[in-house]
Amino acid sequence: MAVISKRLLLSDLVSSDKIDQVPSNYIRPVSQRPNLQHVVHESIPLIDLHNLHGPDRSLVIDQIRLACREYGFFQVKNHRVPESTISNMMQIAREFFKLPEQERLKCYSDDPTKTTRLSTSFNIRTEKVANWRDYLRLHCYPLQDYIHEWPTNPTSFRDHVAEYCMSTRGLALQLIEAISESLGLDKDYINTQLGKHAQHMALNYYPPCPQPDLTYGLPGHTDLNLITILLQDEVPGLQVLKNGKWIAIDPVPNTFIINIGDQIQVMSNDKYKSVLHRAVVNCDKERISIPTFYCPSPNAVIGPAPELVTDDEPAVYRQFTYGEYYEKFWSRGLAKENCLDMFIAT
Ligand code: OGA
Ligand code: NI
């Protein structure tokens, strides 16, 4: 009979207790399981950003528009984040999750309002079924407000992660301009709606799982922020919902996966959709993924762009502050209804 785990972190349960069954608190009801045999392997658009800075910019903008409309997801290459920055980031994440349990537990907290914390699953204060994941969550912009909270072990953690954050922020700003343009808005429109801007990241660690058909790394969800820039290692696990089918996105070295979050869906007045995605686990390999969540600052007022609201297409959402949205998102369960539904215009 499977037991309920007494350990705070999943990685320590898996590595120390040598379990050969998923503990009962991780098991999904039959109707909510991942059905891995029904997943299809398809690709999402791969967009070369090289031409974003030349005479063919409008062609790249067209590709972004199409990808945002049809998929809500795309991959990018020639993104200007150096290969060494990416490999150092991945290496430091790997080293962090290999630290002794006592060392990692120094960062542990299940309080979602903490700006630097190591936790497990999604939100253990609100969820009924746990997820097969540990994660370190960091706020990372403005850097000087948060870097002193970050781990100092491994010793180069702060240096490598700070470099990665600054570089991915540059990419986020390019993408935000391009997405703004692709909606027919001024290229600075979205940028100027974000207050002082914010950036968070997660280092996700998915240990091998003895029964991957029964549980999730992360169940289907949309991202609450503006856009997400996902770095993943070479182990597959990300799946995206398209036309009612789950598509597995196989990793491509040195590319990032970009997805539209809830705030772009709101600003675009539903022209672009924040698409459901999930992470599944597997029997024999651990997996690391590192999403960068680019966000408005908490006091930024978000709503449909006035230029995209017409008599025929009235505002779908009311205005709200990002802080209000953030709080609602974390206090409801991931598997529940879409958070956006709570902000529909009346
Ligand atoms: C997330 C997420 C996907 C992955 O952290 O929001 O969707 O592949 N992660 O880990
Ligand atoms: Ni996500």
Side-chain angles (χ1 to χ4, degrees):
M1 177 60 197
V3 291
I4 293 184
S5 167
K6 295 269 182 325
R7 288 189 187 264
L8 285 176
L9 293 170
L10 173 67
S11 41
D12 300 309
L13 167 78
V14 172
S15 66
S16 310
D17 299 353
K18 304 274 182 278
I19 50 160
D20 57 6
Q21 278 187 2
V22 168
S24 57
N25 56 318
Y26 289 90
I27 300 178
R28 293 271 157 188
V30 175
S31 64
Q32 292 172 17
R33 291 185 189 166
N35 272 313
L36 297 173
Q37 69 282 6
H38 291 144
V39 170
V40 291
H41 284 255
E42 245 181 64
S43 54
I44 52 174
L46 173 58
I47 300 180
D48 185 343
L49 295 184
H50 176 75
N51 288 331
L52 204 50
H53 312 281
D56 288 336
R57 180 174 173 92
S58 66
L59 297 179
V60 185
I61 303 288
D62 290 345
Q63 289 172 2
I64 290 177
R65 181 184 308 110
L66 199 67
C68 288
R69 271 201 205 138
E70 300 290 315
Y71 290 84
F73 264 83
F74 53 97
Q75 286 163 294
V76 292
K77 63 177 184 180
N78 290 320
H79 42 61
R80 297 182 167 183
V81 180
E83 267 183 56
S84 58
T85 305
I86 294 178
S87 60
N88 287 340
M89 179 65 238
M90 196 44 95
Q91 183 58 27
I92 215 74
R94 220 174 277 290
E95 285 172 26
F96 177 82
F97 287 108
K98 291 269 182 291
L99 291 173
E101 182 175 9
Q102 280 318 312
E103 188 58 31
R104 275 175 292 127
L105 284 176
K106 288 179 186 165
C107 316
Y108 185 85
S109 168
D110 61 15
D111 176 0
T113 64
K114 285 199 73 172
T115 49
T116 301
R117 66 190 181 105
L118 177 65
S119 194
T120 192
S121 188
F122 170 69
N123 183 357
I124 57 174
R125 291 182 173 187
T126 56
E127 66 204 6
K128 293 208 175 68
V129 185
N131 302 300
W132 206 258
R133 170 180 83 139
D134 289 338
Y135 63 101
L136 177 65
R137 222 183 136 94
L138 308 172
H139 287 215
C140 34
Y141 182 84
L143 200 51
Q144 69 274 14
D145 290 356
Y146 302 109
I147 192 166
H148 63 277
E149 300 177 358
W150 293 1
T152 49
N153 190 3
T155 44
S156 51
F157 186 95
R158 290 184 181 176
D159 286 348
H160 287 328
V161 179
E163 187 186 321
Y164 181 81
C165 290
M166 289 188 286
S167 203
T168 49
R169 177 165 193 267
L171 173 59
L173 294 175
Q174 288 178 53
L175 289 167
I176 288 167
E177 280 192 349
I179 290 170
S180 221
E181 253 181 276
S182 76
L183 284 164
L185 302 168
D186 189 88
K187 79 177 174 23
D188 292 325
Y189 175 79
I190 294 176
N191 192 334
T192 55
Q193 299 302 303
L194 308 179
K196 291 184 178 149
H197 293 213
Q199 184 178 344
H200 303 174
M201 72 190 296
L203 282 55
N204 290 324
Y205 178 76
Y206 304 101
C209 174
Q211 294 169 296
D213 294 327
L214 304 185
T215 192
Y216 290 101
L218 273 176
H221 67 279
T222 63
D223 290 350
L224 80 159
N225 47 288
L226 195 70
I227 56 167
T228 303
I229 301 177
L230 182 81
L231 171 66
Q232 52 176 343
D233 70 7
E234 65 295 337
V235 180
L238 174 66
Q239 302 183 345
V240 175
L241 194 66
K242 175 135 202 295
N243 302 331
K245 283 198 188 125
W246 287 101
I247 310 179
I249 309 295
D250 290 328
V252 180
N254 285 309
T255 65
F256 288 108
I257 292 172
I258 312 298
N259 68 280
I260 295 299
D262 294 353
Q263 307 312 309
I264 293 277
Q265 178 164 336
V266 170
M267 289 185 186
S268 75
N269 204 27
D270 269 358
K271 292 211 161 32
Y272 294 168
K273 289 277 171 28
S274 178
V275 168
L276 279 173
H277 56 285
R278 65 187 191 180
V280 299
V281 288
N282 73 84
C283 299
D284 29 61
K285 287 194 174 133
E286 61 183 23
R287 172 169 182 261
I288 290 178
S289 74
I290 304 177
T292 289
F293 304 108
Y294 206 80
C295 321
S297 54
N299 61 355
V301 177
I302 304 296
E307 279 187 60
L308 302 179
V309 174
T310 60
D311 289 343
D312 292 340
E313 293 173 300
V316 181
Y317 305 98
R318 67 170 174 89
Q319 285 194 331
F320 50 83
T321 63
Y322 186 60
E324 182 190 353
Y325 198 92
Y326 193 82
E327 203 185 294
K328 284 241 167 60
F329 182 90
W330 280 98
S331 57
R332 90 204 209 294
L334 253 198
K336 288 236 190 71
E337 76 288 357
N338 195 322
C339 192
L340 281 168
D341 293 344
M342 300 160 93
F343 294 85
I344 300 270
T346 45

